[in-house]
Amino acid sequence: MLNMHYLDNAATSWPKPEAVYQTADKFMREIGANPGRSGHCLAKQADTIVEETRELLAEFFGAPDPKLVTFTFNGTDGLNLVIKGLLAPGDHAITSNIEHNSVSRPLRRLEQQGVDVTYLQADANGLLFAEDLAPLLRPETKLVIMSHASNVLGAVQDVAALAKVAHQNGALFALDAAQTAGHQPIDMQALGIDILVVPGHKGLLAPYGTGAVISLRDAGILPWRDGGTGIKSDSRMHPNELPYRLEGGTLNAAGIAGLGAAIKFINAEGLTNIAAKESNDMQQLLACLQAEERITIYGPRSAAERAGLVAFNVAGLSSAELGQQLNDDWRVAGRPGLHCSPLSHRAVGTFPDGSYRLSPGYFTTPNAIESVCAAIRQICREQ
Ligand SMILES: Cc1ncc(COP(=O)(O)O)c(C=O)c1O
């Protein structure tokens, strides 16, 4: 429905930059071939585009070598790859009590197989603190993994401080940047992020079916998928070299071409400009929500402390009822419920009903923000 006010960018960004549509379309119509296979000129062209996107990603996130960029099919795919490819029975891992299911569920499965997992507790606003992490570390702690910003509470973590403490004990620090990549600068080397997991289809403005795991050095992640790579086809074993080790099978090359175009778009617009625009939208939304007595907001009060999403409830309405009204009467597309993060909702007491989440994006217009605010004011005052 074209005339909706789309404020569900935390689920997936929409619309995409025009160049993303055009590049993915052009790739499928004019190149089409399988990158890294066959050796004919179309396959080589496809390969060049995939490798260019790999370079763009490495540069964008401050990784030292494009070979350390593995393409995945979404954030969940990358998080499963990291968690299941690193941890074995007897290992210890630390995560938080406000993670998305794509971190907490793979860990839960491994817990049943003999991996020990400790849950760092967030404060009431969803913030995690390095001083609380330090006592949880053990000699056998292999991995500390958490989100940069919760997709419910929105609080942006002090990654540098958390990574520093993890490193003091020799653990790897992995970051789920699903809600921050493409929204704010992330320099892996400066922040000490050993492994960064990003979906392409959210803040990076790329098509569905894209994402990446990016490492500062080869962390020894083992593949769960062996198969064709286009290299060393004579060997019975899947190759160990990166990026092939973790990329068995045909890539989503058209999506990756779109991801490359999306990163070029973000670079041209300027990530700091994007962050400033999104922060301004968030300030306006927060001001409008904070003015209503019936509204409870979850997470930090100020836009400066949060990613571009805000979850809240209106007293007297379930999140589903609010979502229905906003959709049906006001053409607002947001997200009610548990947001695939029941842990966050348990942490702030909104389980099992959840909350209603608004997440503007780079293409959200001032008119959309004003319309949503008007709708919320009316809903809060009329019932
Ligand atoms: C914090 C967080 N982590 C991971 C994911 C999973 O990403 P994807 O939907 O690309 O699998 C999401 C998606 O909403 C998320 O918000």
Side-chain angles (χ1 to χ4, degrees):
M1 231 192 283
L2 283 175
N3 58 355
M4 290 292 286
H5 298 300
Y6 184 79
L7 280 98
D8 198 14
N9 288 274
T12 198
S13 57
W14 186 74
K16 310 294 182 186
E18 193 49 42
V20 172
Y21 297 124
Q22 282 176 13
T23 306
D25 185 73
K26 188 169 154 68
F27 186 98
M28 283 193 290
R29 287 177 200 280
E30 295 177 21
I31 300 175
N34 199 328
R37 313 294 199 266
S38 311
H40 52 71
C41 61
L42 289 173
K44 282 186 180 154
Q45 241 180 301
D47 195 43
T48 302
I49 290 169
V50 167
E51 293 315 314
E52 188 197 16
T53 304
R54 214 186 286 284
E55 281 168 27
L56 283 164
L57 277 170
E59 200 179 321
F60 192 76
F61 291 111
D65 186 343
K67 290 194 180 69
L68 296 166
V69 175
T70 298
F71 288 112
T72 65
F73 297 110
N74 49 47
T76 304
D77 190 30
L79 290 161
N80 271 268
L81 178 62
V82 171
I83 292 168
K84 294 176 181 166
L86 277 175
L87 296 170
D91 286 335
H92 175 236
I94 301 177
T95 188
S96 87
N97 69 327
I98 53 166
E99 295 304 312
H100 189 275
N101 277 340
S102 55
V103 170
S104 65
R105 284 181 170 169
L107 285 171
R108 189 78 190 134
R109 187 174 294 282
L110 293 190
E111 271 183 301
Q112 290 170 345
Q113 295 167 8
V115 171
D116 203 4
V117 181
T118 303
Y119 295 82
L120 174 63
Q121 303 292 306
D123 78 357
N125 283 328
L127 280 166
L128 301 165
F129 296 98
E131 54 268 34
D132 298 332
L133 173 62
L136 305 183
L137 287 153
R138 303 181 198 157
E140 71 275 20
T141 308
K142 185 153 189 197
L143 179 67
V144 175
I145 181 161
M146 52 193 53
S147 54
H148 195 178
S150 152
N151 64 317
V152 176
L153 305 172
V156 179
Q157 310 299 346
D158 184 348
V159 170
L162 291 158
K164 194 171 167 202
V165 169
H167 291 153
Q168 279 162 8
N169 244 54
L172 288 165
F173 184 83
L175 192 72
D176 168 8
Q179 296 301 341
T180 51
H183 295 290
Q184 61 181 73
I186 299 176
D187 182 336
M188 292 178 66
Q189 311 210 31
L191 295 172
I193 303 164
D194 298 300
I195 305 166
L196 183 74
V197 183
V198 296
H201 65 99
K202 296 187 198 265
L204 289 175
L205 306 175
Y208 307 109
T210 56
V213 169
I214 307 167
S215 308
L216 273 190
R217 63 195 72 78
D218 185 350
I221 301 172
L222 294 175
W224 62 270
R225 193 173 63 221
D226 296 324
T229 53
I231 66 153
K232 297 194 174 167
S233 297
D234 57 325
S235 167
R236 283 298 309 276
M237 284 301 288
H238 190 87
N240 196 40
E241 291 99 307
L242 291 173
Y244 308 102
R245 188 198 306 155
L246 304 174
E247 286 183 353
T250 296
L251 294 169
N252 173 11
I256 291 170
L259 175 57
I263 292 173
K264 285 182 194 165
F265 172 87
I266 293 171
N267 285 337
E269 295 292 297
L271 193 47
T272 45
N273 295 332
I274 291 176
K277 187 268 176 200
E278 292 182 350
S279 175
N280 190 38
D281 285 350
M282 190 43 56
Q283 268 168 34
Q284 283 187 50
L285 269 182
L286 284 170
C288 129
L289 297 172
Q290 279 161 359
E292 299 305 321
E293 270 179 19
R294 286 178 65 196
I295 288 185
T296 306
I297 298 172
Y298 307 102
R301 293 290 166 272
S302 88
E305 291 174 279
R306 55 191 310 152
L309 60 99
V310 57
F312 60 96
N313 273 315
V314 175
L317 285 178
S318 71
S319 70
E321 285 165 340
L322 178 61
Q324 193 79 52
Q325 276 194 37
L326 283 167
N327 179 73
D328 296 354
D329 303 340
W330 300 90
R331 298 181 292 109
V332 172
R335 183 168 176 191
L338 293 174
H339 314 102
C340 298
S341 184
L343 290 183
S344 307
H345 286 282
R346 284 185 190 278
V348 295
T350 48
F351 185 87
D353 180 52
S355 58
Y356 184 80
R357 184 182 72 188
L358 290 170
S359 48
Y362 189 55
F363 295 110
T364 304
T365 60
N367 173 46
I369 300 280
E370 280 158 26
S371 302
V372 171
C373 288
I376 286 168
R377 266 194 298 275
Q378 189 147 335
I379 289 172
C380 287
R381 292 175 193 183
E382 276 190 351
Q383 300 201 4

